[in-house]
Amino acid sequence: MERLAVIAIGGNSLIKNKKLISLYDQLATMRETCRNIADMVEKGWNVVITHGNGPQVGFLIRRAELACGELPLIPLEFAVADTQGAIGYMIQQSLMNEFRRRGIKRQAITIVTQVVVDQNDEAFQNPTKPIGSFMTREEAQRHVEEDGWVVVEDAGRGWRRVVPSPEPKAIVEIRAIKDLIEDGYIVICTGGGGIPVVEHDDNLKGVAAVVDKDNASALLANEIKADVLVISTGVNKVAINFGRPDQKELDRLTIAEAEAYMAAGHFPPGNMGPKITALLRYLKNGGKEGIITSPTELVAALEGKSGTRIVL
């Protein structure tokens, strides 16, 4: 029986160079990542793929801002949905082409995925996630009055909109995702942490928020009982004392060791912290093992030859 892995691809990993940001540039990078995922499939793994979308949502919102004299702005939840489709298309096409070259009889499919959040989540009272372009004080005030935005001044660079980042509670399309996995599809889902929705009068309603994609990936991995959750990032291994002469890469961590290092400040919130936190959630809710590694090291990490493993 195939082992099941959830692979969480970072949205930033598609932007290798700030000068190479076009969709075709991102597609070329995705092809490289999908070659490594195809290696996993060839080795007998079943794979569910999630992805980030931070830069891509930023680009989409910026385009809308530049065109706002002619067209209305794009609500954030719609931008998440748009990028789920676009990045899903890149992954689907890249994997299908790779499968054809190798004679692998598998098909990839993207599910536009909604994730339920609690409208009473404290995050809604304290928005902290910056999105969109820098604005003047006057522009920011206009959006506060006309659109109800929350804005903050950003280190002297201007004003920016901030939105909440609530905890993911449930994946709306989970039954379809499970059925597709059972039917042998390579499923791409929960992109960008999922489209955040709240339950209102027995209906779902999109909200302007950002769900952390690694936390959503952990929830997904637990729901589908994945054998491993792999967070793909820009480094081969997690390190303590990062960037210092005494930097040390880690091969294996227990939950207790990971928590101790985090308490000591080795995994900061703006970098490795959210990834470690997500893997700990996955493990504490029934997961078997978590891995952090780079896209090129996926197979080696699953074979225990690279990456950082976190275990019970």
Side-chain angles (χ1 to χ4, degrees):
M1 183 180 294
E2 290 180 321
R3 296 185 71 198
L4 178 61
V6 171
I7 309 295
I9 303 171
N12 285 303
S13 68
L14 299 183
I15 312 291
K16 281 191 168 183
N17 185 314
K18 290 185 178 179
K19 294 182 180 179
L20 301 174
I21 63 173
S22 76
L23 291 172
Y24 285 119
D25 291 324
Q26 294 179 53
L27 177 59
T29 302
M30 183 60 78
R31 287 172 181 153
E32 296 176 19
T33 298
C34 285
R35 279 195 286 272
N36 297 305
I37 294 174
D39 288 341
M40 290 179 57
V41 176
E42 207 163 38
K43 292 277 188 178
W45 283 88
N46 196 7
V47 180
V48 176
I49 302 167
T50 69
H51 61 80
N53 66 348
Q56 294 77 19
V57 164
F59 295 156
L60 187 61
I61 289 175
R62 180 59 180 155
R63 291 188 187 101
E65 289 171 345
L66 292 171
C68 66
E70 297 185 19
L71 295 168
L73 293 175
I74 300 173
L76 180 55
E77 62 270 32
F78 285 85
V80 174
D82 285 353
T83 53
Q84 281 190 2
I87 297 174
Y89 159 69
M90 293 184 200
I91 299 172
Q92 281 182 207
Q93 186 183 88
S94 299
L95 277 178
M96 289 300 297
N97 287 340
E98 197 64 34
F99 289 162
R100 288 178 179 179
R101 277 191 287 273
R102 302 180 188 212
I104 298 173
K105 304 298 184 183
R106 299 292 291 274
Q107 185 172 350
I109 187 167
T110 299
I111 300 293
V112 175
T113 316
Q114 303 170 91
V115 169
V116 176
V117 299
D118 185 350
Q119 57 190 338
N120 295 316
D121 191 305
E122 292 182 359
F124 285 103
Q125 306 305 317
N126 183 35
T128 57
K129 189 78 172 178
I131 63 165
S133 305
F134 289 101
M135 300 172 284
T136 65
R137 179 191 293 270
E138 292 73 24
E139 289 172 323
Q141 187 59 36
R142 178 172 57 82
H143 283 298
V144 170
E145 294 172 358
E146 296 179 4
D147 303 309
W149 288 7
V150 177
V151 298
V152 296
E153 202 274 334
D154 192 330
R157 295 181 294 177
W159 292 74
R160 291 189 80 186
R161 181 187 182 189
V162 289
V163 298
S165 184
E167 295 293 325
K169 296 297 183 182
I171 298 169
V172 176
E173 291 78 15
I174 192 64
R175 180 175 176 182
I177 290 167
K178 290 179 178 179
D179 287 346
L180 288 165
I181 294 168
E182 185 70 23
D183 288 343
Y185 289 92
I186 304 295
V187 180
I188 304 146
C189 62
T190 327
I195 304 162
V197 297
V198 295
E199 295 179 341
H200 181 73
D201 293 335
D202 292 327
N203 290 310
L204 297 175
K205 178 184 177 183
V207 291
V210 173
V211 178
D212 180 81
K213 66 96 177 169
D214 293 323
N215 284 341
S217 298
L219 175 61
L220 171 70
N222 287 129
E223 287 285 345
I224 64 175
K225 295 181 170 52
D227 295 291
V228 61
L229 169 58
V230 183
I231 296 179
S232 173
T233 187
V235 295
N236 291 343
K237 295 184 179 183
V238 174
I240 56 173
N241 303 318
F242 185 77
R244 290 162 40 181
D246 56 347
Q247 175 176 317
K248 178 185 177 182
E249 292 186 334
L250 304 172
D251 296 321
R252 185 180 182 277
L253 287 169
T254 64
I255 290 177
E257 289 169 337
E259 289 178 332
Y261 282 132
M262 184 171 289
H266 287 287
F267 307 137
N271 193 333
M272 196 59 70
K275 298 174 177 56
I276 299 291
T277 298
L279 291 181
L280 294 180
R281 290 184 180 193
Y282 161 69
L283 291 168
K284 290 179 179 181
N285 285 287
K288 299 177 182 178
E289 61 178 340
I291 297 174
I292 295 177
T293 194
S294 65
T296 57
E297 297 292 302
L298 285 175
V299 172
L302 288 165
E303 293 176 346
K305 301 173 184 176
S306 186
T308 298
R309 259 184 166 73
I310 302 181
V311 297
L312 296 172

